[in-house]
Amino acid sequence: MTSDSVIGIPGRDRRRQHRQALLLEVGVIALLALILIFLMPVILSGFRLSLLGRFLALAIAALGIDLIWGYTGMLSLGHGIFFAIGGYALAMHLQLAPVEAGTLPEFMNLYGVTELPWFWKPFDSFGFAAICVILVPSLLGALLGYLVFRNRIRGVYFSILTQAATIVFFNFFNGQQKLFNGTNGLTNYKTLLGANVNAPQTQFVFYTLTVLFLVGAYVLSRWLTRGRFGNLLIAIRDDESRVRFTGYNPTGFKVLVFGISAGLAGLAGALFTIQTGIISPKAMDIAFSIEMVIWVAVGGRATLVGAILGTLVVNFAKSLLSERFPDIWLFFQGALFLIVVTVLPDGLVGWWRSHGVERMRSLFGLRKRVITYPSLEEDPEVQQERENLGARD
């Protein structure tokens, strides 16, 4: 007799339930993507749709944060580096696209640059720039992660190191007026593959691509966090020393996940840049990196869906409050974070899973779900014993 038959759930039924849950999830994702692409442009104004596109791009970066923080236990406060590098990689191509061969971007002429820097030249190719959007942040994240994780640096020291790296990159890009236009950043984009970047039709294409890339990022993250690999990430988060004792080397897994997370941040930075029309060292500010963590905390760590939901909720709340209460909106934002930390420590999705579902079931008169034998849960003697134990405590 197998262990599955002992608990009353045959292995075949379990696999069928798994397939049904997977098909349901795929259906929900496809439905939400169709709603975002076809329904939202009808409901929202052009301005709100533009904001939604930007926030969906930010949600891709939040998924990367959830991968390393929620599932692997690495709190990065420097993901703005990878976000900005992805944005700069695409922006460099956008600066070169409208100019003729042998000429320089406009800002370089202002600073007296006479020859295009050698590392700018390959970005004249869109394919090269598109690859660099993901590859450069991924390699940089993997390198930084390897240097840190091989020395078994973790916890608050890891967070401090990522903050220090952010300061270094921010000061470097901020001081490079001739190479990256310094504080002003790269802006004034005109064409991409022959299309007018600022045309409404082109911007809608960017919005649609953002939705599709977000779906792809979610599928990738979902795949990584399932099965043995996902269990290993959670084990590293909960007790890395025990993982080492069992024969695994967490360094390689942490480097891989950190590199993937950095690549997602780079992709998010490129999509955000093309929709906002600017990338500057401000994206490398420590405050922005901390905001990414807040999005995940509000939505719920280790949920993936929570990372996306938290990004949309926080950024739309920030936008609406700043419009209606320009003088005091920061107080509302601070109150929102305090409420989440004190009342909803597991985030919105965490609260829904632990309490919200049962409240909805009771609202519709449905029986409470049980995780053991229903007959045991509903036995009056068992309930009486629980009440007696609770009274003693």
Side-chain angles (χ1 to χ4, degrees):
M1 184 178 294
T2 64
S3 58
D4 286 334
S5 60
V6 169
I7 62 176
I9 304 178
R12 184 178 300 175
D13 292 341
R14 178 179 294 179
R15 288 191 295 270
R16 184 175 66 251
Q17 292 175 0
H18 173 73
R19 287 195 297 268
Q20 290 175 350
L22 183 61
L23 289 175
L24 178 61
E25 185 175 7
V26 171
V28 171
I29 294 173
L31 178 62
L32 291 176
L34 292 174
I35 290 174
L36 288 172
I37 295 175
F38 295 104
L39 185 58
M40 286 303 172
V42 178
I43 297 176
L44 300 178
S45 64
F47 173 69
R48 296 298 176 191
L49 187 67
S50 175
L51 286 181
L52 178 60
R54 300 174 192 180
F55 299 159
L56 291 175
L58 296 177
I60 298 176
L63 282 173
I65 293 289
D66 201 18
L67 270 180
I68 60 171
W69 183 39
Y71 286 92
T72 321
M74 301 181 291
L75 178 57
S76 171
L77 299 180
H79 253 52
I81 297 173
F82 313 119
F83 182 92
I85 288 177
Y88 271 100
L90 182 60
M92 289 168 70
H93 172 74
L94 293 171
Q95 290 287 313
L96 296 175
V99 300
E100 298 179 359
T103 58
L104 301 176
E106 183 178 355
F107 78 90
M108 289 187 179
N109 294 321
L110 297 176
Y111 293 112
V113 179
T114 57
E115 184 178 356
L116 188 68
W118 64 268
F119 64 91
W120 269 76
K121 295 178 181 179
F123 286 91
D124 187 53
S125 167
F126 172 75
F128 180 84
I131 293 174
C132 288
V133 161
I134 299 177
L135 186 60
V136 173
S138 296
L139 293 178
L140 179 62
L143 176 62
L144 178 62
Y146 175 74
L147 295 176
V148 173
F149 301 140
R150 72 170 183 172
N151 294 314
R152 301 189 182 184
I153 298 174
R154 55 187 179 180
V156 65
Y157 300 104
F158 173 74
S159 300
I160 293 173
L161 282 175
T162 56
Q163 277 196 330
T166 303
I167 295 174
V168 171
F169 277 86
F170 174 82
N171 288 329
F172 173 77
F173 277 82
N174 199 47
Q176 298 299 320
Q177 285 85 2
K178 294 183 178 181
L179 298 180
F180 302 108
N181 203 20
T183 307
N184 298 321
L186 302 180
T187 185
N188 193 25
Y189 313 136
K190 297 179 180 178
T191 62
L192 178 63
L193 297 177
N196 183 1
V197 171
N198 301 309
Q201 299 85 349
T202 309
Q203 284 295 318
F204 179 72
V205 172
F206 297 149
Y207 167 81
T208 304
L209 288 174
T210 302
V211 174
L212 297 178
F213 276 118
L214 177 59
V215 171
Y218 176 83
V219 172
L220 173 63
S221 302
R222 192 80 171 88
W223 177 68
L224 289 172
T225 54
R226 291 178 64 88
R228 294 183 60 185
F229 188 82
N231 292 335
L232 185 57
L233 295 183
I234 295 174
I236 293 173
R237 178 195 68 188
D238 295 341
D239 196 336
E240 184 175 338
S241 299
R242 182 170 295 183
V243 173
R244 291 183 183 275
F245 181 76
T246 57
Y248 290 97
N249 183 7
T251 300
F253 295 97
K254 294 169 73 173
V255 169
L256 175 62
V257 173
F258 195 72
I260 293 173
S261 175
L264 290 176
L267 174 61
L271 293 171
F272 187 83
T273 297
I274 198 67
Q275 294 180 86
T276 55
I278 185 173
I279 184 67
S280 71
K282 187 69 176 177
M284 297 183 185
D285 193 3
I286 293 177
F288 181 62
S289 296
I290 295 176
E291 275 190 44
M292 296 183 186
V293 176
I294 292 174
W295 304 335
V296 178
V298 171
R301 287 178 57 191
T303 60
L304 296 183
V305 175
I308 300 174
L309 179 62
T311 303
L312 297 179
V313 169
V314 172
N315 282 284
F316 268 114
K318 179 179 178 180
S319 176
L320 294 174
L321 290 174
S322 61
E323 292 173 11
R324 299 189 179 185
F325 309 99
D327 296 328
I328 60 174
W329 71 271
L330 284 174
F331 293 99
F332 289 101
Q333 187 180 36
L336 173 63
F337 298 152
L338 289 175
I339 291 172
V340 170
V341 172
T342 56
V343 181
L344 303 174
D346 296 326
L348 298 174
V349 175
W351 172 85
W352 173 256
R353 289 178 176 178
S354 59
H355 299 91
V357 174
E358 294 303 330
R359 291 190 178 182
M360 288 296 294
R361 291 178 67 89
S362 63
L363 182 64
F364 289 99
L366 300 177
R367 188 167 58 182
K368 182 180 179 180
R369 293 188 303 176
V370 295
I371 58 176
T372 60
Y373 295 97
S375 59
L376 208 61
E377 291 285 336
E378 298 171 1
D379 192 316
E381 294 182 3
V382 174
Q383 295 181 3
Q384 183 64 34
E385 185 66 24
R386 284 181 175 176
E387 293 177 359
N388 293 336
L389 290 174
R392 292 175 187 175
D393 294 338

